[in-house]
Structure formats: C-alpha cells, structure tokens
Amino acid sequence: MEITIADKEVLMSEEKIVNDIIEGICPIRNIIASISDKWSLLVIYTLSQNPKMRFGEIHKSIPDISQRMLTVTLRSLEAGGLVSRQVFPEVPPRVEYQLTDLGYSLLDPLRGLVNWALNNMEVIQESRKNYQQ
Amino acid sequence: MEITIADKEVLMSEEKIVNDIIEGICPIRNIIASISDKWSLLVIYTLSQNPKMRFGEIHKSIPDISQRMLTVTLRSLEAGGLVSRQVFPEVPPRVEYQLTDLGYSLLDPLRGLVNWALNNMEVIQESRKNYQQ
DNA sequence: CCGTATCCTCGGTGATACTG
DNA sequence: CAGTATCACCGAGGATACGG
C-alpha cells in the first residue's frame, strides 16, 4: 500500500489535532508550549522593569532580538492578554506596551523559578562540566 | 569585499561566543534556555509521580515522545544533576531513573507555575480566540 | 529492554530591504 | 518610529533501522 501526499496531509492534520487535544487537556503541556519560545519570558521580564515601554526601549533592553521577533513576540503576548498595546496616532508614531494585570500575575511564579535558577545555576553548570560519556 | 565561507564560520563562532557570554551572565536567559526545550519539564514532572521509574515506564507516561528524544532528554537532565540513572547489569537490561534532591527542589517553583497556568489557562485561551488582526 | 546511528523534514529565527 | 515582506538557514526533533 502506498502513502500519497494527500494521505500524508490527513495524517499531519490528525497529528496536529491530537497535539491540540493533548495540550488542551494537559495544563503542563500548555504552559511549556507557551513558555518554551526563546523570547516571551524575557520580554515579560523586561516589561516588568518599567510601567510603560515603547517598542524602541524594549529593543534597547534586549539588543540581540531581531525587530521581527520582537514584533512577533509582542503580538503573541498581546493575543494571550498578558500585554496591552496602545497606539498614539502621531507623527512619528508612538506605541506603548505594558503588562496587563494578568501579565503581572505571572511575575510571582516566575520569580520563584528565577530564584531557583540563581541558587542552583552554578551547581548545574559544574555538574554539566564534569559529566562524562 | 567578499565574505568567504571561512569568514562566515568565524562570524558564527563569534556569535556563539557572545551568546554564551550573555547566557553565562544573565541568569534569566540561562533558565529560559534550559527550560525551553520541549520535553525536560515534562519528564521531570513525570518522574516526580514515582520514586523510581524505568525507561519503558516513562515512555508509557509520555507516549508521544520518541525513543531518541527521551534518551537525549534524560541524558541532558542527568548531566545537569537533576536526574540520576542506575543501570542493572541484567539480561534483559534494566535502567532506573529518579529525581535527585536538586531535581526535587525544582518542583516547588514549578508547581507555582503550573498553578498559575491552571488558574489562568482558560482566560488566556479565550483571549487568544477573540484576538483579531 | 534499552538504547545508538543515520537520515531527513520543517518551522522558528535572523538578515535585509522597504513603507506609512 | 514602528513596523511589514521576503528569503535563506540551521538545528531541534521525528522516523527508521540496527546493536548489546
């Protein structure tokens, strides 16, 4: 029996559906999926340093993010309701971002994780260095 | 002026060095980098459900991870000192994994995050659904 | 049973150029 | 200033086959 491209597409979409179901049911999968992109947590942390920040300010705080990824990340956070975005119809344009209450509420558990990392980072790095085979 | 392949390799390695420095200095980058792979947190959570687990048991708990990625993830966690691995020289072979004290210590801050996710997941999903443009 | 070895795909990311 | 549009790339991860 042969597998056609159409079959593959069906399989792919089924796989995606299964994946969505798993993530929908399993809260852990869900947070991991949200968290595990390269920039989101960093942007949230940056925004927590100031009440309001313009696009350029955020970019200055995270110099090595590309303009594209900063936009993509901010939009994604806005979609989730973690960040609000206010456009001022001026010339030149001004856009201000700030954490929503929901966004701020994430800071508490996040701090727990950061503190854990601060306390154990060196041990972990040492362990990694000495790990053989 | 032309950019040769050799030049590119130099640029790449410099970029990687810069990246390493940033991650070395900035603890937040460091945790994000450690956390943001697809399976680590899930494996840690799974291992927290039982004191000791065999390779096959873990695989049954996370059916959609490939054998390869389960091995890779377990080795990476072992390297960081979060998981211990004990091989029994039997036929057929038996290998047992368990969280180390360091591994268990991650569970507390992790629970904070999971609880936050449980409390806010629906709001976020609703927000994402209604997000236009 | 518990892996390792290959090969390959695909999507996230960066670089660059352009617009209102 | 704050984006979009386009293209090219790498590397995490999957599929498969084999090994002790």
Side-chain angles (χ1 to χ4, degrees):
Chain A
M1 178 185 158
E2 225 178 303
I3 298 184
T4 66
I5 293 184
D7 288 335
K8 279 202 178 175
E9 277 170 4
V10 170
L11 288 174
M12 298 280 287
S13 62
E14 276 177 1
E15 185 186 324
K16 189 169 185 332
I17 290 169
V18 170
N19 201 37
D20 288 352
I21 291 173
I22 288 176
E23 291 197 351
I25 293 172
C26 180
I28 303 173
R29 303 273 187 129
N30 206 292
I31 16 152
I32 294 174
S34 317
I35 275 179
S36 71
D37 78 275
K38 198 172 175 181
W39 302 110
S40 288
L41 286 183
L42 203 55
V43 168
I44 288 175
Y45 184 80
T46 303
L47 283 173
S48 75
Q49 310 290 65
N50 300 80
K52 293 184 177 183
M53 293 185 82
R54 301 184 57 175
F55 187 91
E57 287 183 273
I58 304 174
H59 204 176
K60 246 186 294 182
S61 298
I62 315 174
D64 52 340
I65 192 176
S66 67
Q67 204 172 27
R68 190 179 103 85
M69 287 317 297
L70 183 52
T71 304
V72 169
T73 305
L74 284 169
R75 289 291 144 78
S76 152
L77 293 174
E78 194 196 358
L82 298 171
V83 164
S84 73
R85 175 174 184 268
Q86 192 179 3
V87 183
F88 297 87
E90 306 171 356
V91 179
R94 180 160 59 102
V95 183
E96 285 184 353
Y97 295 90
Q98 60 181 323
L99 290 181
T100 62
D101 289 346
L102 185 59
Y104 274 110
S105 76
L106 174 57
L107 288 178
D108 272 334
L110 199 54
R111 261 190 282 272
L113 213 60
V114 173
N115 286 335
W116 181 89
L118 285 172
N119 290 333
N120 299 290
M121 207 172 48
E122 290 184 12
V123 178
I124 293 176
Q125 284 174 345
E126 192 62 24
S127 171
R128 286 219 179 103
K129 210 170 60 186
N130 296 337
Y131 184 74
Q132 305 298 347
Q133 170 185 2
Chain B
M1 178 188 159
E2 226 179 303
I3 296 184
T4 66
I5 293 186
D7 288 335
K8 280 200 177 176
E9 278 172 4
V10 170
L11 288 173
M12 299 279 287
S13 62
E14 275 177 1
E15 185 186 323
K16 186 162 188 340
I17 290 168
V18 169
N19 201 37
D20 287 351
I21 290 172
I22 288 176
E23 292 198 351
I25 293 172
C26 179
I28 303 174
R29 304 273 186 130
N30 207 290
I31 17 154
I32 294 173
S34 317
I35 276 180
S36 70
D37 77 276
K38 198 172 176 182
W39 302 110
S40 289
L41 287 183
L42 202 54
V43 168
I44 288 175
Y45 183 81
T46 303
L47 283 173
S48 75
Q49 311 288 66
N50 300 79
K52 292 185 177 184
M53 292 184 82
R54 299 184 58 175
F55 187 90
E57 287 183 273
I58 305 174
H59 203 177
K60 248 186 293 183
S61 299
I62 315 175
D64 53 337
I65 191 175
S66 65
Q67 205 173 29
R68 189 179 100 87
M69 286 317 297
L70 182 51
T71 303
V72 170
T73 304
L74 284 169
R75 289 292 143 77
S76 152
L77 293 174
E78 194 195 358
L82 299 170
V83 164
S84 72
R85 174 175 185 267
Q86 191 177 3
V87 183
F88 297 86
E90 306 170 356
V91 180
R94 180 160 58 104
V95 183
E96 287 184 351
Y97 296 90
Q98 60 181 324
L99 291 180
T100 61
D101 290 346
L102 185 58
Y104 275 110
S105 75
L106 174 56
L107 287 178
D108 273 334
L110 199 55
R111 263 190 281 270
L113 213 60
V114 172
N115 287 334
W116 181 90
L118 284 173
N119 291 331
N120 300 288
M121 204 173 46
E122 290 184 12
V123 178
I124 292 177
Q125 283 174 346
E126 193 63 23
S127 171
R128 287 220 177 103
K129 210 170 60 189
N130 297 336
Y131 184 74
Q132 305 298 348
Q133 172 186 1

